[in-house]
Amino acid sequence: MTLAVFFGCTFIAFGPAFGLFVFTIARDPLRIIILIAGAFFWLVSLLLSSLIWFIAVKASDPRDESLQKGLLIFGVMFSVLLQEAFRFLYYKLLRKAIEGLVALSEDGCSPISIQQMAYVAGVGFGLMSGAFSMINLLADALGPGTVGIYGDSQLYFLTSAFMTMVLIFLHTFWGILFFHGCEHRRWWEITAVVVMHLAVSGSTFFNPLYVGSLVPSYLLMAAAATWAYMLSGGSAQNLRRFLLCLRSGASPQPGS
Amino acid sequence: MITFMNNSDSEEEPCNERTSLMSAESPPVPSYQDGLQASQAGEVQAHRKRRTGSSRSPNNIADGETSDSSVPVREGALENEEEELTLKYGAKHVIMLFVPVTLCMIVVVATIKSVRFYTEKNGQLIYTPFTEDTPSVGQRLLNSVLNTIIMISVIVVMTVFLVLLYKYRCYKFIHGWLILSSLMLLFLFTYIYLGEVLKTYNVAMDYPTLILVIWNFGAVGMICIHWKGPLQLQQAYLIMISALMALVFIKYLPEWSAWVILGAISIYDLMAVLCPKGPLRMLVETAQERNEPIFPALIYSSAMIWTVGMAKPDTAARRSSQQAWDAAEDGRETDRSPSHTDSQMSERSPVPTRPITSFEELEEEERGVKLGLGDFIFYSVLVGKAAATASGDWNTTLACFVAILIGLCLTLLLLAVFKKALPALPISITFGLIFYFSTDNLVRPFMDTLASHQLYI
């Protein structure tokens, strides 16, 4: 335990997100604000869903195990739906903001596009979601203890870190997909995002059978990544050119 | 804390922004005396400096090339440009405040979580005489409300006293008061803090080393804050003294009193800044009439430095001397006329890094955004209390942190819209309080249950 596990799990869970933040978001103040506002919206959605769950639990019999389990499942699903609802609300807000920015700019175009906002909003949601899932675990990992001493899985911290990482990525891609669907009025994209989110959350019910939760989540992440890449204007050709460090239309040259 | 704009403060004269800027050589930055209050931390007189001054830099209006358009059109165009520049600068200014607020909170939370001293109950201040160790809930509530009333009245009295001092031009008294309180903060509180940190980590330090360290820290701090110094060093010192003050509050304010005081202070801030007879507002107006700068040590300023080529007006080469600005910003600035008014705040200007030849280069300081140190203190008190008392839960701390940042963002947005002095505490503290209580009581059980089953939402 202690420092090694702490740093390992922190970097597994938040390393990629931190890299995304540093290289794409930290330079632009507007993006940082959008990120924090995205985190705020996720937080509000969590607050409301916890309120509902809390009321339901207080109104029910605490000794009835299956009822509590049912309420928990209901809580999780309701929270997922509420998160997506708040993503939609955030989309509406950002749309208004873009109109404001366009109106105020001198050359008639906004300093940031809706696609960039979608990406940053997704990262905001993901970071907050990951932080809320992981921070308490990391704080506990710093102290002494033995994982799984009562017969639970010994991989608890590690799998939590991997799950957090995949969730952050998924939120990022869902942000792009969702906003794209809202922009172009493609409802099936929006429903796909909601269904994917429900699927990922539902798969975590298989824990501690980690094959049932991590593997589908990573597969879904790969699918969402490809889809988001295609929607953002990427293609297999672009990818090949990027990997071979080609300039557009030129023959392969040694990359710089 | 008041946010204010210097440009268009004269609502009486029907001049456009440009003329009001040109006439006022250095757009005045009202000095808020109650900023002083907060720095008297020493005996913890619990005054909050609350001023967030967001002084719009004069460059908004300095596009002086349009000289022949009619006045209303130009006013409209200028206003549009100013609005747009406001928004563009707005994002940057928001981040320039996010960073120090975040740093202050990080220092406070890190200290609270690691040094036991600041979470131990060791008596109370004389400003909160009623104890909270009572058996009944009602009595405890009553005591905390009484504590709050006493604390707020002390603050009101001090603010009014300061307004009077300022009105009757007792500057020496104010200066002396300020210097005394920053002395106490920089030496005594730092000594205590250092002692506790060393105790926590079981590091031995001999007295000569200690004296050397504290003396250097304090002396450089006094110079940076009250006289001249590198901007970033000054900002660092201001953050540190705000953190120290916040830690003192967290330690000595009893539980419930702290929350009630936070709420009451935001309401007081709202009233003091917005009501016509509010002390802070009167202070703003007095200072504006006199065209005087703010006292140092009360305001955190994120001013930037620009160098302008005077001899070659067309090139208008602007290079920032110390901060790196992105190219878009620079591109924006190139059409600013070099003759735009420069800011005051000579105390703020960092030591010039190259010799100035008066013909060729003029160092100008663009006023960035200003936030009163009291704001820093109370934000950090809220987050620190959340870290100290939320059942060891980090989620609550994180939620309060995000809530406060969003509140600050909204406040700055309102500032850009209204362009007058605004209090910075109410929105952030309200959000912070709401999120603290709801996260601690509603979200925590939910997340704990999810974590125990390793479910993810």
Side-chain angles (χ1 to χ4, degrees):
Chain A
M1 286 261 294
T2 63
L3 277 184
V5 171
F6 172 75
F7 279 113
C9 288
T10 308
F11 289 136
I12 289 176
F14 295 113
F18 183 65
L20 284 178
F21 175 77
V22 164
F23 289 115
T24 58
I25 299 177
R27 298 288 162 109
D28 190 4
L30 205 49
R31 291 186 199 177
I32 299 182
I33 297 176
I34 297 176
L35 182 88
I36 307 238
F40 181 73
F41 270 74
W42 187 90
L43 194 57
V44 175
S45 81
L46 177 69
L47 200 70
L48 290 176
S49 48
S50 326
L51 178 66
I52 304 288
W53 177 82
F54 189 78
I55 295 176
V57 163
K58 285 295 176 209
S60 67
D61 180 14
R63 285 179 303 266
D64 190 351
E65 289 292 335
S66 60
L67 179 63
Q68 296 299 319
K69 184 91 176 156
L71 278 179
L72 196 59
I73 298 179
F74 161 72
V76 168
M77 297 298 144
F78 184 71
S79 177
V80 167
L81 293 174
L82 211 56
Q83 281 176 49
E84 298 305 326
F86 269 81
R87 207 194 294 272
F88 181 70
L89 285 176
Y90 195 38
Y91 163 75
K92 283 278 178 227
L93 181 71
L94 286 179
R95 263 247 133 269
K96 281 227 174 61
I98 277 205
E99 284 163 22
L101 285 172
V102 165
L104 292 178
S105 81
E106 54 179 18
D107 50 357
C109 54
S110 149
I112 188 172
S113 70
I114 190 75
Q115 288 89 359
Q116 291 170 346
M117 280 182 167
Y119 160 71
V120 176
V123 176
F125 267 61
L127 270 177
M128 204 58 180
S129 162
F132 259 64
S133 314
M134 200 64 197
I135 294 258
N136 277 335
L137 255 62
L138 290 175
D140 285 336
L142 260 181
T146 308
V147 191
I149 198 170
Y150 289 120
D152 300 306
S153 162
Q154 290 178 5
L155 298 174
Y156 185 80
F157 284 136
L158 213 53
T159 49
S160 299
F162 277 107
M163 196 68 207
T164 306
M165 174 172 80
V166 82
L167 255 186
I168 297 179
F169 273 134
L170 276 170
H171 269 291
T172 312
F173 302 134
W174 286 335
I176 300 174
L177 293 172
F178 196 93
F179 278 42
H180 185 266
C182 291
E183 273 292 292
H184 300 268
R185 301 271 182 276
R186 294 199 198 151
W187 306 118
W188 52 277
E189 279 179 12
I190 299 176
T191 24
V193 167
V194 177
V195 166
M196 265 198 273
H197 197 166
L198 284 170
V200 168
S201 281
S203 73
T204 60
F205 280 98
F206 286 117
N207 286 337
L209 184 66
Y210 296 120
V211 173
S213 70
L214 281 178
V215 171
S217 305
Y218 273 88
L219 290 175
L220 274 175
M221 183 194 85
T226 331
W227 194 0
Y229 183 64
M230 297 296 174
L231 284 184
S232 306
S235 61
Q237 215 184 7
N238 276 349
L239 196 58
R240 183 177 155 271
R241 280 216 289 260
F242 166 71
L243 288 174
L244 295 178
C245 299
L246 289 174
R247 293 179 215 278
S248 47
S251 52
Q253 296 168 8
S256 50
Chain B
M1 315 320 143
I2 307 185
T3 40
F4 54 87
M5 304 275 195
N6 289 333
N7 305 347
S8 42
D9 276 317
S10 46
E11 287 149 5
E12 300 89 34
E13 10 171 4
C15 54
N16 63 6
E17 321 262 5
R18 185 155 170 274
T19 56
S20 62
L21 263 185
M22 299 297 249
S23 53
E25 252 304 290
S26 352
V29 172
S31 41
Y32 287 140
Q33 270 26 4
D34 58 339
L36 308 174
Q37 303 169 347
S39 54
Q40 299 156 359
E43 325 108 46
V44 194
Q45 299 185 8
H47 300 310
R48 315 141 314 164
K49 331 169 206 182
R50 338 178 238 161
R51 242 142 49 219
T52 66
S54 140
S55 20
R56 179 92 318 110
S57 66
N59 49 36
N60 295 348
I61 325 297
D63 298 298
E65 293 104 26
T66 60
S67 49
D68 36 346
S69 43
S70 60
V71 171
V73 170
R74 192 216 302 209
E75 269 184 1
L78 283 176
E79 230 175 65
N80 263 345
E81 282 174 17
E82 180 185 280
E83 274 179 33
E84 173 227 331
L85 286 168
T86 299
L87 202 51
K88 237 196 153 153
Y89 287 137
K92 196 157 218 124
H93 289 157
V94 171
I95 300 303
M96 288 194 315
L97 282 187
F98 271 10
V99 173
V101 168
T102 309
L103 281 175
C104 191
M105 287 188 201
I106 287 179
V107 170
V108 169
V109 170
T111 310
I112 292 278
K113 287 287 188 183
S114 52
V115 178
R116 290 268 162 267
F117 173 74
Y118 287 103
T119 41
E120 290 162 3
K121 283 279 322 167
N122 237 345
Q124 296 180 196
L125 302 168
I126 55 168
Y127 306 102
T128 52
F130 294 94
T131 174
E132 283 194 11
D133 268 335
T134 55
S136 75
V137 172
Q139 181 72 20
R140 188 173 185 186
L141 195 58
L142 181 68
N143 281 356
S144 49
V145 170
L146 290 173
N147 279 341
T148 309
I149 293 177
I150 296 178
M151 185 77 120
I152 301 285
S153 354
V154 168
I155 290 176
V156 171
V157 163
M158 288 306 201
T159 315
V160 170
F161 182 49
L162 273 164
V163 173
L164 288 175
L165 278 179
Y166 189 64
K167 251 189 153 58
Y168 293 114
R169 301 178 187 265
C170 310
Y171 294 140
K172 290 221 183 316
F173 192 95
I174 296 175
H175 268 120
W177 194 349
L178 268 183
I179 288 185
L180 258 182
S181 38
S182 25
L183 262 177
M184 179 125 26
L185 264 175
L186 280 170
F187 286 98
L188 180 64
F189 284 0
T190 310
Y191 168 71
I192 296 176
Y193 179 79
L194 192 60
E196 292 305 322
V197 169
L198 291 176
K199 270 189 226 166
T200 306
Y201 291 105
N202 208 11
V203 173
M205 187 184 265
D206 53 311
Y207 271 113
T209 313
L210 186 73
I211 291 176
L212 197 67
V213 167
I214 301 269
W215 168 250
N216 277 304
F217 180 81
V220 176
M222 290 301 288
I223 293 177
C224 272
I225 295 175
H226 290 281
W227 192 50
K228 297 193 226 273
L231 182 67
Q232 286 176 333
L233 195 59
Q234 182 183 51
Q235 291 172 339
Y237 268 105
L238 290 175
I239 294 175
M240 278 191 270
I241 64 176
S242 308
L244 284 173
M245 193 61 215
L247 284 169
V248 167
F249 274 139
I250 294 173
K251 181 175 172 60
Y252 287 111
L253 286 180
E255 295 266 344
W256 290 19
S257 307
W259 298 114
V260 184
I261 285 176
L262 277 172
I265 273 210
S266 345
I267 300 176
Y268 167 67
D269 199 23
L270 197 63
M271 291 186 342
V273 174
L274 295 179
C275 291
K277 280 300 170 194
L280 296 184
R281 182 165 169 157
M282 280 170 45
L283 224 62
V284 184
E285 286 161 6
T286 317
Q288 278 176 353
E289 285 164 27
R290 298 186 194 167
N291 262 8
E292 275 170 359
I294 297 184
F295 286 104
L298 309 175
I299 303 278
Y300 175 93
S301 155
S302 52
M304 309 180 258
I305 295 302
W306 298 89
T307 49
V308 179
M310 285 278 279
K312 310 167 248 175
D314 44 291
T315 58
R318 295 186 180 252
R319 309 178 299 286
S320 67
S321 60
Q322 277 160 10
Q323 284 84 351
W325 302 113
D326 44 353
E329 278 283 319
D330 284 340
R332 248 223 134 328
E333 259 73 67
T334 44
D335 36 350
R336 256 192 278 149
S337 85
S339 60
H340 74 87
T341 64
D342 63 321
S343 314
Q344 35 344 31
M345 308 303 284
S346 53
E347 301 120 32
R348 293 272 130 76
S349 60
V351 177
T353 51
R354 44 186 160 287
I356 300 175
T357 58
S358 48
F359 296 106
E360 311 218 314
E361 283 191 347
L362 223 207
E363 281 216 23
E364 295 182 359
E365 193 172 310
E366 175 180 325
R367 272 167 305 146
V369 192
K370 295 180 177 53
L371 187 66
L373 286 196
D375 291 316
F376 278 83
I377 293 175
F378 282 101
Y379 293 161
S380 308
V381 165
L382 195 145
V383 175
K385 269 269 180 235
T389 62
S391 336
D393 193 32
W394 282 88
N395 287 342
T396 316
T397 314
L398 194 58
C400 290
F401 167 70
V402 172
I404 287 181
L405 285 188
I406 292 289
L408 188 60
C409 196
L410 284 176
T411 309
L412 289 171
L413 191 69
L414 283 180
L415 177 71
V417 168
F418 286 112
K419 299 196 200 330
K420 56 183 264 224
L422 286 182
L425 276 185
I427 303 182
S428 288
I429 299 284
T430 312
F431 277 179
L433 287 175
I434 293 177
F435 274 86
Y436 171 75
F437 286 110
S438 44
T439 312
D440 201 30
N441 297 316
L442 300 175
V443 176
R444 191 173 45 88
F446 186 47
M447 295 307 287
D448 283 347
T449 318
L450 289 181
S452 63
H453 292 104
Q454 212 171 6
L455 300 175
Y456 283 80
I457 49 169

